[in-house]
Amino acid sequence: MTQNGTGAGRSGRKQWKIRRVNGGKKHKWNWSSAIFSIYWLFYRKMVKIGCIATVLLIALQFILSQGVDLAFRKYAPDKWQAYEQAAVELADIYVKIQQGNESNLSDEELRQKGMAVTTSDVFLASTASSILLYIGFGIVLGIKGNDFYKRKAVRDIKNLRTVAVDDNTYHFVLRHNGGTSALNVLFPF
């Protein structure tokens, strides 16, 4: 990564550029896409890429969690069994409470059962792998987010040029279809 002082914007911030190994093409780092990742895609009206990214992230998360579970079952079966037993006990208590039955456990005993699940090595490894996956996803979008957005914008403008009959219609539709959408951010929920 190199810092480019000549690319400073109006606010005086310096642009960060990442050089690709192939041909030295520069990618500008996009903090918004890195931090908000999938939500940024929907906010920028890149619904197709956002849906693909969401499905990909869910699939990778599933594969990763299955890998963590398999590793603990194979290499640390005692830890896996303790985690599974604590999780089943906690789930049973939750179901009883949801059905209106009171739990005969004190608040301290409930807290201890919850801590037994959330402090187990299985839970912590699964959580850490999820966090690393999301960080990696954010880094990829931080590097490639502007490229995705530019390709979409150029494609949409070309399509709009072929459809618009005159300049007034073109500019009206361009203003209406372009920009961002705060409502699209709610789409992944």
Side-chain angles (χ1 to χ4, degrees):
M1 250 185 337
T2 61
Q3 191 173 10
N4 180 10
T6 60
R10 286 185 181 169
S11 64
R13 291 179 295 174
K14 295 188 179 189
Q15 298 281 330
W16 286 94
K17 295 186 178 184
I18 294 104
R19 294 190 187 275
R20 246 182 22 185
V21 178
N22 303 352
K25 183 179 175 185
K26 295 178 183 177
H27 295 284
K28 289 185 179 177
W29 179 259
N30 187 328
W31 280 107
S32 296
S33 64
I35 293 170
F36 299 110
S37 64
I38 292 176
Y39 300 103
W40 179 83
L41 292 171
F42 287 105
Y43 176 71
R44 284 291 180 184
K45 294 185 176 180
M46 293 188 279
V47 176
K48 183 178 178 181
I49 296 173
C51 288
I52 291 169
T54 302
V55 169
L56 180 66
L57 195 60
I58 290 169
L60 288 173
Q61 179 60 45
F62 178 76
I63 292 168
L64 203 56
S65 67
Q66 293 302 311
V68 168
D69 290 351
L70 183 62
F72 271 96
R73 284 181 193 167
K74 186 172 183 178
Y75 299 111
D78 55 329
K79 289 183 180 184
W80 172 257
Q81 287 173 347
Y83 168 74
E84 191 174 42
Q85 181 181 356
V88 167
E89 287 176 7
L90 196 60
D92 287 342
I93 293 167
Y94 178 76
V95 168
K96 285 179 184 177
I97 292 171
Q98 288 297 316
Q99 291 175 345
N101 301 333
E102 290 203 20
S103 173
N104 55 357
L105 298 175
S106 68
D107 289 343
E108 181 61 26
E109 290 171 322
L110 284 173
R111 189 186 70 73
Q112 287 177 354
K113 289 200 179 286
M115 290 297 288
V117 172
T118 58
T119 59
S120 72
D121 290 341
V122 178
F123 183 83
L124 295 175
S126 183
T127 302
S129 64
S130 296
I131 290 170
L132 290 175
L133 177 66
Y134 288 115
I135 289 172
F137 209 76
I139 289 171
V140 169
L141 277 176
I143 293 170
K144 295 296 289 176
N146 288 335
D147 292 338
F148 291 149
Y149 185 63
K150 183 178 178 182
R151 272 189 266 156
K152 180 208 178 280
V154 167
R155 184 180 62 244
D156 288 351
I157 290 170
K158 282 181 183 177
N159 290 342
L160 187 58
R161 273 285 181 203
T162 60
V163 175
V165 277
D166 62 359
D167 281 347
N168 289 335
T169 306
Y170 170 75
H171 290 293
F172 175 77
V173 175
L174 186 62
R175 261 182 268 138
H176 184 266
N177 291 345
T180 60
S181 172
L183 288 178
N184 280 357
V185 173
L186 301 175
F187 187 74
F189 292 112

